[in-house]
Amino acid sequence: MVWRWLTRSAKGLACGLACGPMGIPARGADNPPGLSDSLQSLWKQATTTVQFGGFVSQGFLANTGRNNYLGQTSKGTFDFREYALNASYAIGQFRFGMQVFGQKLGPYGDDNLEIDWATADYQPAQWFGLRAGRVKMPRGLYNEALDLDSVRPFVLLPQSVYDARLRDFNAAFNGAMVFGNVGLKKLGSLDYRVFYGDIPIATDSGASDYFNNDFPSNSLDFKMDAVIGGSLFWNAPLTGLRMGYSFSSFENLRSTREATLQLSALAPLASVVGTKQTDHYGRHLFSIEYTKGNWVLAAEAGREQAFYHVGTRGVHIADTDFTSNYFYLSAARRINPWLELGAYYSYSRDTESLIGTTTIPMGKSPALTQADLALSARFDINEHLTFKLEGHYMDGAGKIFDTVQNPQPVADRDAAWFLFAAKLTYSF
Amino acid sequence: MTVKKKILPLLVFAVSLLHCTAAVQAAPVLAGHTGLAAQTLDGDAVRAVLLGKKITLGGIRVVIVVARAGDAQNAFLQSYTGMTTSQFLTYWRRLFMTGGGSAPRIVDTEADARKLAAEIPGAIVILDSSNAAGLTALAAN
């Protein structure tokens, strides 16, 4: 009897999937006989709230000139894909879920599967909730949805704010977050999030190359003590308007790296193991978005700042002052059910200056900028399949990584170039 | 000719009356499973529930049921959230795929939505008020 019930229930769950454009809720299995009404009700609720979702994206990137921006883009590359699968279950004030994710973006990701997010939520009130586990990082308007092609017209989000190579910095943290929505009556409402945790960062990640971009070197380890941060967004009384501020800080961010140096004109090349460390890597971002009819308008502006201490074998060599300022303006319009158009202008300016003197050449000078004018077209072939085309005019030699594996000194970079992107996404 | 002159205003009046009746019948309403009968939502609460900020009503987990298309649903969503149905689904996809909420249940038609909402405890759905039989009204547009 019990076995028959289990078998029927399993069949109901495994075979009775009903597909929608967003997630696949499991269809409720038949009510098992012999259980009380309350247990039957609980069973029905459980089997109708397990949900599955996922996506697979494959893209192509190519640019004019010599710059290799997001991989070997000067030659054209198909090393540009993401895929994920998630499952979640909610009951009462609790929700549990997990997503597995993989990607290839030029030299990063390498199609290794990782846990993108895995959370347990408890939300006893509208104004208070607690989320713990591996949590997507709240930052600005779109950071939590970095990989979700199906929710935007753009192939690449504005890279000044959402640099695709910095996924290790941006995607998620291991820790806990308090969140909620506080009503302000006629003044709208406030969404708040405060979090604390840690971010494990791979030494072969884009975040590592970004951190070590002041001097081509191999990262031997890359760590932080903690990440702290939060966001506060005001949902204005004008329907569709929201604006907010996000902050995060990587505490005691540090890397041990190995570089080949010529310490003086007469000395031979030598391998030197050094350290680069900052007490706080601070990130500030102001955001505004307005949705009206088929239009979505957005703008964000931010600043990142850190004082780095550089040394070797416990000996202090130099300090550098790093600052990055950036912003973008974007507009998107749904033209009809199968076409959405979008455009943005994105700008970033990075400066790193040496404090004091040293024989080691460090600190990029002058400031490196990147201006990016992008036009996008999104074609919704059906409710699951999306194809996008995008063109970028890039002005400036900034945001190009100069690594040991792919040296791109500033003098060798093109300052004006075109980038083309295409992407096909299947989501369910 | 005289008869036509008398009939014409009557026809106009009758058509206007029909139009008004249709307008009344077309009023969108947020309805829910009968287990939510004790709930009445003001504008802020409607917005909070639709956007996943308020996840329970009377201790019951809310399950949003959405039809792929529906004029009443579109008008209601625009009024409370500023989003079209398409934008609303995109909003929820972003939330669901990033671990921020449980996805709405999506069906083809308003009739399917009404039927499903009647079956699931905690379900809410936007319908034409004339099509909400078997559900409890939570808020009107």
Side-chain angles (χ1 to χ4, degrees), chain A residues 53-55 84-87 97-101 114-118, chain B residues 97:
Chain A
F55 61 86
L85 181 66
N86 67 55
M98 185 173 89
Q99 175 160 287
V100 175
F101 173 84
E114 62 181 53
I115 293 175
D116 186 27
W117 53 265
Chain B
M97 292 295 292

Side-chain angles (χ1 to χ4, degrees), chain B:
Chain B
M1 192 69 175
T2 315
V3 176
K4 278 186 180 174
K5 277 185 178 175
K6 285 183 179 174
I7 288 176
L8 195 60
L10 281 173
L11 277 173
V12 170
F13 177 72
V15 168
S16 306
L17 199 63
L18 282 171
H19 182 74
C20 290
T21 311
V24 169
Q25 285 178 339
V29 61
L30 182 69
H33 184 268
T34 49
L36 302 175
Q39 304 296 318
T40 306
L41 307 182
D42 62 15
D44 289 342
V46 169
R47 192 173 299 109
V49 167
L50 289 174
L51 296 180
K53 300 176 193 298
K54 186 177 179 68
I55 61 164
T56 57
L57 287 174
I60 303 172
R61 181 105 189 174
V62 172
V63 178
I64 302 173
V65 180
V66 180
R68 284 187 168 80
D71 292 340
Q73 177 180 275
N74 219 41
F76 195 93
L77 286 174
Q78 290 257 18
S79 172
Y80 279 95
T81 68
M83 300 179 199
T84 61
T85 297
S86 169
Q87 287 165 340
F88 181 72
L89 292 176
T90 297
Y91 169 89
W92 266 103
R93 179 160 185 79
R94 183 182 301 159
L95 213 57
F96 163 64
M97 292 295 292
T98 57
S102 299
R105 301 289 298 269
I106 299 166
V107 294
D108 285 331
T109 65
E110 201 172 90
D112 293 338
R114 187 197 63 75
K115 189 179 169 193
L116 189 60
E119 292 175 0
I120 303 175
I124 62 168
V125 61
I126 300 164
L127 296 168
D128 183 306
S129 57
S130 64
N131 194 23
L135 299 173
T136 186
L138 300 171
N141 197 16

Side-chain angles (χ1 to χ4, degrees), chain A residues 371-382:
Chain A
D372 176 0
L373 181 63
L375 294 172
S376 308
R378 165 183 168 151
F379 305 93
D380 291 291
I381 298 165
N382 58 43

Side-chain angles (χ1 to χ4, degrees), chain A residues 60-209:
Chain A
F60 174 75
L61 293 164
N63 60 250
T64 59
R66 293 168 294 182
N67 294 343
N68 284 316
Y69 178 38
L70 304 169
Q72 295 293 322
T73 46
S74 64
K75 297 172 186 164
T77 180
F78 285 98
D79 284 344
F80 179 34
R81 58 183 162 272
E82 299 104 16
Y83 36 91
L85 181 66
N86 67 55
S88 58
Y89 169 73
I91 187 165
Q93 297 164 336
F94 295 90
R95 189 168 49 78
F96 309 91
M98 185 173 89
Q99 175 160 287
V100 175
F101 173 84
Q103 76 162 164
K104 177 81 174 163
L105 177 67
Y108 309 122
D110 210 20
D111 290 320
N112 293 321
L113 292 179
E114 62 181 53
I115 293 175
D116 186 27
W117 53 265
T119 56
D121 264 43
Y122 171 59
Q123 191 179 350
Q126 183 178 333
W127 63 270
F128 178 78
L130 179 65
R131 184 171 300 158
R134 181 158 176 80
V135 183
K136 297 297 279 186
M137 185 185 290
R139 176 176 174 258
L141 297 168
Y142 309 121
N143 190 72
E144 289 162 291
L146 288 175
D147 313 305
L148 280 183
D149 273 283
S150 60
V151 303
R152 60 173 185 260
F154 307 115
V155 176
L156 297 170
L157 282 167
Q159 293 295 288
S160 60
V161 176
Y162 303 105
D163 192 325
R165 300 164 300 182
L166 303 188
R167 204 173 178 284
D168 272 20
F169 269 169
N170 293 328
F173 61 91
N174 301 335
M177 179 168 78
V178 175
F179 63 96
N181 172 261
V182 180
L184 301 175
K185 305 290 182 187
K186 290 182 178 179
L187 295 177
S189 70
L190 285 176
D191 290 323
Y192 76 89
R193 293 166 185 212
V194 180
F195 63 87
Y196 179 88
D198 178 32
I199 303 179
I201 307 172
T203 53
D204 59 353
S205 66
S208 180
D209 283 347

Side-chain angles (χ1 to χ4, degrees), chain A residues 205-354:
Chain A
S205 66
S208 180
D209 283 347
Y210 173 77
F211 187 79
N212 293 314
N213 202 30
D214 58 333
F215 199 87
S217 50
N218 290 317
S219 187
L220 303 179
D221 70 51
F222 192 24
K223 295 175 181 172
M224 69 179 73
D225 283 354
V227 55
I228 57 172
S231 67
L232 187 66
F233 270 79
W234 177 44
N235 305 298
L238 176 62
T239 304
L241 177 65
R242 62 177 180 139
M243 60 187 78
Y245 166 70
S246 310
F247 167 76
S248 58
S249 176
F250 305 140
E251 301 294 296
N252 191 16
L253 184 67
R254 60 199 186 276
S255 171
T256 304
R257 51 192 187 161
E258 184 178 40
T260 304
L261 298 173
Q262 189 167 22
L263 295 173
S264 71
L266 298 175
L269 286 171
S271 177
V272 175
V273 175
T275 55
K276 181 179 178 184
Q277 182 269 346
T278 180
D279 294 340
H280 314 282
Y281 185 100
R283 308 196 297 174
H284 308 263
L285 186 60
F286 293 91
S287 314
I288 184 166
E289 183 188 60
Y290 183 50
T291 303
K292 175 76 174 175
N294 289 313
W295 285 92
V296 179
L297 307 173
E300 297 192 274
R303 176 184 177 88
E304 299 182 9
Q305 202 277 330
F307 287 105
Y308 290 123
H309 312 292
V310 182
T312 180
R313 298 179 191 280
V315 178
H316 177 254
I317 295 176
D319 294 328
T320 62
D321 180 3
F322 171 78
T323 304
S324 180
N325 292 300
Y326 43 73
F327 73 90
Y328 76 85
L329 306 163
S330 76
R333 186 177 192 279
R334 170 65 63 177
I335 306 298
N336 57 41
W338 56 267
L339 177 64
E340 186 176 12
L341 300 178
Y344 62 73
Y345 177 78
S346 168
Y347 178 84
S348 68
R349 183 176 191 273
D350 295 349
T351 58
E352 185 165 9
S353 55
L354 183 66

